[in-house]
Amino acid sequence: MLTLDVTIEGAAGPLTARLYGAPAGRARFPRLHGKPSAAAQHERLLVFFHGGELDADDSRLRRLAESDPGLMILAPDYSLAPSMPAAADQAYAVLRWAARRRLRIGWSGAELLVAGVGADAALRSVDGLIQRDRAGPAIAGRILMPAEDELFQEIRLANFSVYM
C-alpha cells in the first residue's frame, strides 16, 4: 500500500494530509506538480476526516484502501472542534483541492465521498451546506460514524467498502 504525505493550502494556511493508494497499474503516485496525467485513475475518492488524530486511523485507512482497488483515500489533518468555522472552512478547502487536482492525484473525479468520526461527523453535514452554497464540488455520499469504541469503527469502515 502506497501512501503520500501532501500539503494542502487551507483556509487559514497549509494543512497536511495523507493519500492512500497509488493509481491502478502504477507502482508510485503521479507527480502532484506539473502537467497532470491523463491515465485512468481510481473511480472513488474518500476524504476521511479523523475524529481526533490522523495517525490513529492510519492502519484502518491502509486496510480500507487495500480492500478496494477503485478507492483512493485522502485523510487531512485539520483544526478540531470547537474551532468553528475554521474546521469547516479547512474541510471545504480540502474538498476543493482534491477536485482541482484530481488528475494529478490519480482520481477520475467520478465519485467524491466524505466520512467523519464522532463530533467530526457533524462537520460533514456543515460541509454539505457549504458545498451547496459555494456550488461544489459535488459530493456523492457521506459516511457519518458515531464515536464509539474502536471495534465498532473498524466494523463500520470494513462494511463501508462493501456498500460502495
Side-chain angles (χ1 to χ4, degrees):
M1 164 56 46
L2 295 178
T3 62
L4 178 67
D5 289 337
V6 297
T7 301
I8 296 171
E9 187 56 42
L15 302 170
T16 59
R18 185 167 298 141
L19 279 166
Y20 294 83
R26 294 191 182 190
R28 61 182 177 81
F29 279 97
R31 290 180 36 193
L32 293 181
H33 304 288
K35 186 176 180 180
S37 168
Q41 298 88 6
H42 290 87
E43 293 180 16
R44 290 176 302 285
L45 174 66
L46 171 66
V47 180
F48 181 85
F49 294 94
H50 61 79
E53 182 184 349
L54 175 60
D55 288 335
D57 293 305
D58 185 70
S59 63
R60 271 185 228 137
L61 295 177
R62 286 175 188 271
R63 285 193 304 275
L64 181 59
E66 287 172 352
S67 73
D68 184 348
L71 177 68
M72 176 175 271
I73 300 171
L74 176 62
D77 206 3
Y78 61 97
S79 300
L80 299 175
S83 61
M84 288 294 284
D89 289 339
Q90 289 172 346
Y92 182 70
V94 169
L95 297 177
R96 285 187 48 223
W97 180 90
R100 286 193 315 263
R101 288 168 180 77
R102 65 185 178 84
L103 293 176
R104 288 187 174 105
I105 64 174
W107 170 48
S108 71
E111 288 184 296
L112 175 60
L113 307 160
V114 294
V117 177
D120 182 68
L123 279 174
R124 304 302 54 88
S125 297
V126 172
D127 289 345
L129 296 173
I130 293 172
Q131 175 264 342
R132 178 200 67 196
D133 293 346
R134 297 181 186 172
I139 298 172
R142 288 178 180 76
I143 300 95
L144 311 176
M145 296 175 274
E148 302 214 5
D149 62 42
E150 285 190 31
L151 176 60
F152 179 79
Q153 289 180 25
E154 188 77 28
I155 291 168
R156 293 286 295 253
L157 278 172
N159 288 330
F160 165 70
S161 63
V162 173
Y163 295 113
M164 284 198 294

